[in-house]
Amino acid sequence: MCETGQLESPRLWRTTRTVGVDNRWKGNHGIARYAREVIPRLPSVTQDLRLSGTPTSALSVVTFSRARGTSVTYSPGYNLVMSKVPHVLTLHDLIHLNSRGTEGMRYRAYYEFVVRPAIKRAGVVLTVSETSRSALIEWLGDESIEVVNAGNGVNEHFKPGGPNQLSDAEPYLLYVGAVRPHKNLGVVIDALTKVPGLTLRAVGPDVNRVRDLASRAGLSDRVSAYSGLDDSELAVLYRGAKATVMPSVIEGFGLPAAESISCGTPVIYFTGCRSVAEIVGGSGISVDEGMDPDAWAVALRATRDGSVPTVRPLARSDYEWEGVADKVGDVLSRFG
């Protein structure tokens, strides 16, 4: 296995090989955005498998396909396409394995009895960060399987100096993402009750859940929720924010952190979330007690009062979608 998780040398793509692609990941969430950027850039001949259903549903997370004329099938997420040819997937993280109750049991069974054998058959699996790569190596426990960190990208909309018509509005923090237990948004809202003079703008699919959290905390007038924004609109929000908050306890990558820093905006994050810390470095404020509203309030108060670090620009070459697609395509080129 390559020590760094990167491929040791580029391979030329043979155009006689065709990749069958599960192109059902749609929307503005992490995997869908990854799919939207990577799949069109694959240096290969691709064939949309035209599968039915949605890749996240229990009924179609495993889909059967004859995949005629293909030498390998590929999914940008954790769902499987069962066919005669090997299937390569991008596992962004193993967060599902931390789910509780019946849902957790189902996820663990799925990963153990469906995902693991598929990865073993392919002999390789893709991921998006060194943090996730390490977790996958430990979970697989098989040195014969290569775990390749193809990285993640930030598109051209996320840069400093662009439109910023919101900067003169009331000072605000920005949150980008869903409302799920590991995202830990509640701790920021609780902390905000202790810090007047600051509002929160949350962008993601769970508008009603954000509003419910705000209402319970008595902050309906200080928390706004948005959905359906395109990247140019989201970039404006990043540039206008005092800081982006990422209270997640675990992430496979942490795309909002990379986008925020690319826009010149610092990130407030939980120290224990390794993948986000990997991105942010010194361009933010770390909170050591991830579940403590008082600890977050200290960081929010410092941000409100202007005590934020200078943002260190990301090395753009490390977050280019073309490079990510090249690494994915390089892996897929092995199959023929």
Side-chain angles (χ1 to χ4, degrees):
M1 191 189 322
C2 177
E3 287 294 323
T4 65
Q6 308 292 340
L7 301 176
E8 295 176 356
S9 61
R11 297 174 175 82
L12 294 177
W13 185 270
R14 300 179 184 177
T15 57
T16 55
R17 294 171 175 170
T18 299
V19 178
V21 175
D22 186 345
N23 205 20
R24 295 176 297 163
W25 290 93
K26 307 295 182 183
N28 288 322
H29 55 83
I31 298 178
R33 297 182 74 190
Y34 183 92
R36 184 169 66 245
E37 298 286 355
V38 170
I39 290 174
R41 289 182 167 95
L42 287 178
S44 62
V45 177
T46 59
Q47 172 188 327
D48 187 343
L49 294 174
R50 300 184 181 279
L51 303 172
S52 60
T54 59
T56 57
S57 73
L59 295 176
S60 55
V61 70
V62 179
T63 307
F64 293 86
S65 172
R66 293 187 180 181
R68 291 188 180 92
T70 63
S71 56
V72 60
T73 55
Y74 170 66
S75 171
Y78 55 87
N79 59 301
L80 265 293
V81 177
M82 305 295 286
S83 68
K84 292 182 179 180
V85 301
H87 183 69
V88 174
L89 46 75
T90 295
L91 272 185
H92 296 243
D93 52 60
L94 292 173
I95 291 172
H96 284 144
L97 299 184
N98 296 326
S99 301
R100 299 179 179 179
T102 302
E103 181 183 58
M105 293 175 61
R106 289 173 179 167
Y107 274 129
R108 285 185 283 276
Y110 170 69
Y111 276 77
E112 188 63 35
F113 299 113
V114 180
V115 173
R116 185 191 293 271
I119 293 173
K120 187 174 181 65
R121 181 188 179 197
V124 64
V125 62
L126 291 150
T127 192
V128 297
S129 69
E130 282 302 302
T131 299
S132 286
R133 179 174 179 268
S134 297
L136 278 164
I137 289 172
E138 182 178 356
W139 176 66
L140 289 166
D142 186 340
E143 293 184 357
S144 69
I145 299 173
E146 185 175 6
V147 182
V148 178
N149 173 16
N152 221 320
V154 176
N155 74 33
E156 67 279 1
H157 291 289
F158 302 103
K159 58 187 177 183
N164 185 15
Q165 69 264 32
L166 296 174
S167 60
D168 293 330
E170 187 174 7
Y172 68 90
L173 303 167
L174 181 64
Y175 172 83
V176 179
V179 180
R180 296 174 185 163
H182 72 275
K183 297 287 189 180
N184 198 27
L185 176 59
V187 75
V188 172
I189 291 179
D190 288 343
L192 197 61
T193 64
K194 307 171 186 290
V195 186
L198 201 58
T199 62
L200 175 69
R201 299 174 187 245
V203 179
D206 303 321
V207 169
N208 289 334
R209 297 183 68 183
V210 171
R211 290 171 179 163
D212 285 344
L213 287 172
S215 177
R216 291 174 194 169
L219 293 179
S220 294
D221 59 337
R222 294 174 58 198
V223 177
S224 304
Y226 305 79
S227 66
L229 301 187
D230 62 26
D231 286 345
S232 62
E233 293 168 324
L234 181 57
V236 171
L237 284 176
Y238 277 123
R239 286 189 287 264
K242 297 285 284 186
T244 298
V245 289
M246 281 208 71
S248 300
V249 296
I250 185 172
E251 288 285 351
F253 180 73
L255 189 57
E259 292 172 343
S260 181
I261 294 171
S262 295
C263 288
T265 300
V267 177
I268 308 174
Y269 67 99
F270 169 45
T271 310
C273 189
R274 292 173 53 196
S275 62
V276 174
E278 189 180 319
I279 295 166
V280 176
S283 296
I285 300 175
S286 61
V287 178
D288 292 337
E289 300 297 329
M291 306 301 292
D292 182 0
D294 289 329
W296 279 91
V298 171
L300 300 192
R301 199 172 291 114
T303 301
R304 181 199 61 189
D305 297 340
S307 300
V308 295
T310 300
V311 175
R312 173 182 51 82
L314 293 175
R316 298 295 297 190
S317 59
D318 294 337
Y319 297 93
E320 291 181 345
W321 284 114
E322 289 77 8
V324 176
D326 283 347
K327 291 167 188 172
V328 174
D330 190 64
V331 168
L332 296 174
S333 72
R334 303 176 187 184
F335 299 87

